[in-house]
Amino acid sequence: MTSDNHQDNIIDVKDLKVHFPVTEGLLKKTVGWNYAVDGVSFSVRRGETFSLVGESGCGKSTTALSVLRMQDVTAGNIVFNGQDITHFSANKLRPIRRQIQMIYQDPFGSLNPRMKVGSIIGEPLRVHGQAKDKVKYRTRVKELMRLVGLLDDMADRYPHEFSGGQRQRICIARALALEPELIICDEPVSALDVSIQAQVINLLMDLQERLGLTYLFIAHDLSVVRHISNRVAVMYLGQIVEVADRQTLFNDPKHPYTQALLNAVPEPDPELESSRPERLIIGEVPSVRNPPSGCRFHPRCSKAIAQCKIDRPVLNLYNQSLIACHLY
Amino acid sequence: MSLLSINNLSVSFQTDRGVVQAVDQVSFDVDAGETLAIVGESGSGKSVTALSILQLLGDAGTISDGQIVFDGQNLLDLPEKDIRNIRGDRIAMIFQEPMSSLNPVLTIGKQVAEPIWLHRKKTWNEALDQAEELIKKVSIPDARQRLDAYPHQFSGGMRQRVMIAMALACEPKLIIADEPTTALDVTVQAQILSLLKNLTTELNSALILITHDLGVVARYADRVAVMYGGRIVESATAAELYKHPKHPYTEGLMASIPTLDGEPGSRLQTIEGQPPDLLHMPAGCAFHPRCPYAAEICKHAKPSLKEVEANHFRACVGYESIS
C-alpha cells in the first residue's frame, strides 16, 4: 500500500494519528476531539526534498512536529533510520535530535534577542557537550557562519541588528551546527520578502548539495515547493490525498483537491492568467473537530459520487503516484 | 480626467529613532472602473500611500507635500468633517485583517447597515433590508439570520466577505483593498478576489489593490505600479510590465520568482543585498546598492518617473546614462 519499500528511507511515517482533546469548563472536561492528523503515511528518501503542502489546519506542521517527537502521537509509528522512535524516552531521543534539526517560519520569534549571534549558533554545540575545546568551538561557529553567507565579525552582534533574510541565515547556521542528516523546514521563506526568498531558497539548495542533507519541507507557497522539491504530498484536513514527484504533481495533478489548489494559485503571468478558466472550489475548509464522513473533501468536490460520502478512500498506487480518491 | 490623481505625495513618520520618509514624491492616476495594483516589499510605502488617500495615517504620520485629487477635488484641502463623509461613501477601504477591522460587539447586520444609514440617510429598517441584499450578494448563505450574528461566529473568509459587503454598501467610486487576502488560504483567496473583481466591475468602481503577491497582480490588475523605498520605480499595464520590465528592480523581482518551467535543481536569480533601512535611506536612487547596473550618477541623483514608452513609466537614471 502506502509504504514504498525503498531501501534508503530516512523517515518512515506509518498511519500517524494526532488527536487533540477539546476541553470545556473549569475542570477541562474533554467534550470532543480535533482529528488534526488522522492516518498519515509517507516516507522520505535520503538526500531528497520531500514537501508537505496544504492549507492552514491541514495538519502539515503537526505532522512535522511529530517526526521530531515534539508532539505526542496518538497512534502510528515514526521510524528514523530504521529505528522506531515513536515511544523513545527523552533520554533516548537526545542523540536522535542531533540528527534532526528544524528551521522555523518566523526568524524574529525563533532567535533569543538577548543572545549574541555567535552564541545562538553555538548553542546546540554547548547543549550537546561539543564546546569543551574553546578554540575548536569558536572555529566551528565561524565556519558555520561562513557556510550560510554571514561574515565572521557578525558573531558579536544581536539579532535585532539583522534583516529578516539574515536572521533566517542565522537559524539555518544553528540548525547545521550538529551536522544533522534531516532538516525540517517549516515555512522557512514565507515571512520573507520576495527578493530575499530567492536568496534563502538558493542557500538551502546549495547546502543540500554540499552536505548531503535531506529536507522535510512544509509550505503553502506552491511556487516555492515546485522549485525545491523532489516529491510532494498534498494534505487536506489531516490526511494525505496525493503523493507524487514534482513534475507529475504540478503538470498532471490527479486528486480533485490538488487540481483545485493548483488552479487557485495565480501564476505571475498576466497572459496565462487571462487565458486560464477560473475554476473556484466552493466553501471553506471544514473543522477538524467534525470532519466530513467518507472522503473529507467530498462536500467541496465537484466530482463527488455517492460512494465518497460513505467510504474513506485510501492511498493507492496510480501510475507512479499515490492517490486517495474513489475516481482512480 | 482621471477619477483619482495623486501628485507628488510625500508622507513622513515621526519615530523614536528619527524621521522616516515612508512615501517620497509619489504620483499616479486611477481611471474610473480600472484596477491598479501597487506592489512592493514590506517598507516600500505601498500601504502608507493607500492610507494617505483617506487620511488614515494616525498621529505619527504627516502628509508633508502633494495633492490627492479625487473627482476634481483636492482631498488634502478638505476639513476632517468632509473627509469623514467621503470615507465609506465614495471611497471605501478593505483591510488585511478582517477580524480586527470588524467591531466584535456589534452584529454583522448593524455594521453593514451603518454606512447606508449614515451616508444615504435611509431609515434603519431600510438600511437593514439593504444590508441583507448585500450579504446575499457576497454569497453568504442564510443572509437574514446572519444579520444577527457576530464576527467571531464567522470564518476568516466569511469575515472578509462581510468587509466587502460593507465596502460596497454605498456603491463607492473607488475601493482601496490593502492586502485583502494575505491572511486567507489560497482556495479562499481565489474566491474572495474573484468576488471583489466581479462586484467592482458590476458597479464600474475603480479598485486599488495593494499586494506583494505577483501572481494576484497578474490575475486581477489592469495596471501596476511598483514601489521601492517609498517611490514608484516603474508603472505600466500588467501585461507589459511582466513581459518587458524596464526597471532593474522589477527585472530582478520577476526573475527571482520560481517559474513552471524551471529546471529541477536549478538556482533562482536573486537580487543581492537587503531592502533599505528606512531610517538610513541610501542617497540617490534607493535601489543603487543592490542594482547590477548602478553607475556613479545613481549614488547622487534621485531619478524621477519618466514615460519611456507609451504608458510605460520608469524612474532610473542609470539606464538613461547608458542609452
Side-chain angles (χ1 to χ4, degrees):
Chain A
M1 215 185 64
T2 56
S3 58
D4 45 349
N5 290 321
H6 210 270
Q7 284 301 304
D8 211 14
N9 287 345
I10 189 161
I11 285 278
D12 284 294
V13 173
K14 288 183 194 125
D15 208 18
L16 177 72
K17 288 183 182 163
V18 181
H19 298 170
F20 297 105
V22 179
T23 57
E24 232 176 56
L26 195 62
L27 299 173
K28 304 261 180 230
K29 207 173 92 186
T30 301
V31 292
W33 293 89
N34 273 335
Y35 302 94
V37 176
D38 207 20
V40 160
S41 303
F42 63 91
S43 305
V44 182
R45 298 169 191 160
R46 196 175 306 281
E48 77 169 347
T49 300
F50 184 84
S51 292
L52 288 173
V53 302
E55 300 179 274
S56 48
C58 72
K60 56 191 192 295
S61 290
T62 307
T63 303
L65 288 176
S66 309
V67 169
L68 254 179
R69 284 286 321 278
M70 279 163 70
Q71 172 61 56
D72 284 334
V73 169
T74 309
N77 297 88
I78 295 151
V79 177
F80 176 72
N81 274 340
Q83 239 181 332
D84 189 334
I85 62 166
T86 326
H87 302 291
F88 268 27
S89 64
N91 247 342
K92 269 180 103 178
L93 272 177
R94 267 176 89 87
I96 304 289
R97 289 235 165 96
R98 247 180 10 214
Q99 296 165 54
I100 311 177
Q101 291 289 315
M102 186 138 180
I103 302 166
Y104 297 91
Q105 171 171 3
D106 178 10
F108 295 84
S110 51
L111 296 174
N112 186 337
R114 292 172 205 284
M115 276 167 80
K116 287 181 181 167
V117 165
S119 69
I120 289 175
I121 294 172
E123 192 174 25
L125 299 171
R126 297 197 300 278
V127 169
H128 286 271
Q130 295 179 15
K132 295 195 175 91
D133 183 335
K134 287 286 168 233
V135 180
K136 256 193 184 159
Y137 167 75
R138 279 198 206 102
T139 322
R140 176 74 182 138
V141 168
K142 281 192 177 151
E143 198 178 277
L144 286 163
M145 291 184 67
R146 258 175 264 144
L147 196 60
V148 299
L150 295 170
L151 304 171
D152 290 3
D153 61 3
M154 290 174 173
D156 290 324
R157 286 158 65 178
Y158 289 93
H160 76 263
E161 297 173 61
F162 293 86
S163 65
Q166 285 171 314
R167 282 185 219 210
Q168 203 54 297
R169 287 176 196 267
I170 298 170
C171 295
I172 294 171
R174 176 176 60 185
L176 292 173
L178 296 165
E179 301 179 47
E181 293 177 51
L182 174 70
I183 297 187
I184 298 174
C185 311
D186 191 0
E187 305 267 10
V189 297
S190 43
L192 306 176
D193 279 322
V194 184
S195 74
I196 304 302
Q197 279 190 4
Q199 294 178 4
V200 173
I201 292 167
N202 283 354
L203 174 66
L204 287 171
M205 293 176 82
D206 287 342
L207 290 170
Q208 180 168 46
E209 241 172 59
R210 284 172 64 178
L211 307 173
L213 297 166
T214 307
Y215 292 139
L216 176 57
F217 200 87
I218 319 291
H220 70 277
D221 183 336
L222 295 175
S223 60
V224 170
V225 168
R226 185 173 58 200
H227 184 79
I228 201 169
S229 314
N230 298 101
R231 292 189 306 135
V232 183
V234 180
M235 289 186 74
Y236 184 77
L237 269 189
Q239 296 172 348
I240 290 180
V241 298
E242 182 162 359
V243 186
D245 65 70
R246 166 188 108 118
Q247 217 70 18
T248 314
L249 191 98
F250 285 98
N251 295 340
D252 189 18
K254 287 282 181 264
H255 195 283
Y257 177 65
T258 314
Q259 291 173 353
L261 191 65
L262 293 181
N263 191 268
V265 182
E267 288 290 333
D269 181 346
E271 264 176 23
L272 181 78
E273 281 301 332
S274 60
S275 64
R276 194 157 81 143
E278 196 167 49
R279 267 180 262 116
L280 298 175
I281 49 173
I282 46 163
E284 295 183 35
V285 182
S287 154
V288 282
R289 189 166 163 193
N290 293 305
S293 62
C295 171
R296 291 184 172 185
F297 186 58
H298 88 258
R300 303 176 76 195
C301 182
S302 57
K303 296 174 186 158
I305 52 177
Q307 193 191 358
C308 304
K309 284 187 192 166
I310 308 154
D311 289 341
R312 176 184 159 178
V314 291
L315 280 174
N316 274 316
L317 197 61
Y318 180 86
N319 293 341
Q320 300 295 314
S321 311
L322 292 166
I323 294 152
C325 179
H326 293 307
L327 299 175
Y328 298 97
Chain B
M1 198 187 62
S2 304
L3 175 71
L4 176 78
S5 184
I6 293 189
N7 304 316
N8 296 322
L9 178 75
S10 292
V11 183
S12 56
F13 282 86
Q14 195 69 48
T15 72
D16 295 342
R17 295 193 295 145
V19 176
V20 167
Q21 186 75 41
V23 174
D24 185 11
Q25 302 283 316
V26 160
S27 304
F28 62 88
D29 294 336
V30 183
D31 290 332
E34 85 166 333
T35 298
L36 171 78
I38 304 182
V39 299
E41 303 179 317
S42 41
S44 62
K46 57 189 193 302
S47 288
V48 174
T49 303
L51 291 170
S52 309
I53 298 171
L54 283 175
Q55 294 168 43
L56 297 169
L57 293 169
D59 293 336
T62 322
I63 298 176
S64 48
D65 192 15
Q67 284 184 314
I68 298 172
V69 182
F70 174 70
D71 249 354
Q73 205 173 19
N74 183 3
L75 300 183
L76 298 180
D77 292 340
L78 297 180
E80 168 65 20
K81 178 174 69 70
D82 292 358
I83 292 290
R84 225 180 297 150
N85 284 334
I86 290 175
R87 283 184 201 140
D89 182 5
R90 288 193 289 155
I91 306 179
M93 188 133 187
I94 298 168
F95 296 93
Q96 174 173 352
E97 235 320 311
M99 193 57 205
S100 46
S101 17
L102 288 168
N103 188 332
V105 297
L106 290 184
T107 62
I108 296 301
K110 277 188 183 149
Q111 298 188 59
V112 178
E114 191 188 14
I116 306 165
W117 173 76
L118 191 73
H119 294 298
R120 291 285 174 265
K121 312 288 179 238
K122 296 269 168 89
T123 67
W124 185 246
N125 278 335
E126 283 169 341
L128 269 180
D129 285 343
Q130 220 170 315
E132 187 187 335
E133 285 308 307
L134 284 161
I135 294 198
K136 266 187 207 150
K137 208 162 193 169
V138 296
S139 311
I140 297 179
D142 312 321
R144 184 89 259 183
Q145 288 89 317
R146 295 300 223 166
L147 287 177
D148 298 325
Y150 288 90
H152 75 266
Q153 294 169 296
F154 282 64
S155 67
M158 284 296 166
R159 283 184 209 132
Q160 203 56 298
R161 286 175 195 270
V162 173
M163 290 297 296
I164 292 175
M166 282 169 71
L168 295 174
C170 293
E171 311 198 341
K173 289 187 169 175
L174 174 65
I175 297 169
I176 304 166
D178 187 3
E179 304 264 9
T181 55
T182 307
L184 306 175
D185 278 322
V186 281
T187 56
V188 181
Q189 162 176 298
Q191 295 167 2
I192 296 289
L193 287 174
S194 144
L195 175 75
L196 186 60
K197 184 81 185 180
N198 291 340
L199 293 177
T200 47
T201 310
E202 208 178 297
L203 291 173
N204 195 33
S205 305
L207 175 66
I208 297 181
L209 186 64
I210 314 286
T211 181
H212 66 276
D213 187 327
L214 293 166
V216 166
V217 174
R219 188 177 283 185
Y220 299 102
D222 302 316
R223 270 191 319 124
V224 191
V226 182
M227 288 190 75
Y228 188 86
R231 293 170 75 94
I232 293 180
V233 294
E234 184 167 3
S235 82
T237 62
E240 169 72 11
L241 188 92
Y242 280 73
K243 226 181 194 171
H244 306 293
K246 290 194 186 296
H247 190 282
Y249 172 65
T250 321
E251 224 178 77
L253 206 58
M254 295 295 167
S256 65
I257 319 169
T259 53
L260 268 172
D261 37 321
E263 282 293 303
S266 65
R267 298 299 184 264
L268 294 168
Q269 282 199 44
T270 61
I271 301 177
E272 290 308 312
Q274 311 291 331
D277 176 354
L278 294 175
L279 281 164
H280 307 100
M281 205 58 101
C285 171
F287 187 60
H288 88 256
R290 304 174 73 187
C291 181
Y293 311 107
E296 195 52 37
I297 185 170
C298 304
K299 295 179 188 163
H300 319 292
K302 261 191 195 179
S304 52
L305 212 54
K306 286 183 184 151
E307 192 162 11
V308 284
E309 260 168 41
N311 289 316
H312 197 148
F313 298 82
R314 174 183 67 197
C316 181
V317 259
Y319 261 120
E320 282 162 26
S321 63
I322 296 169
S323 52

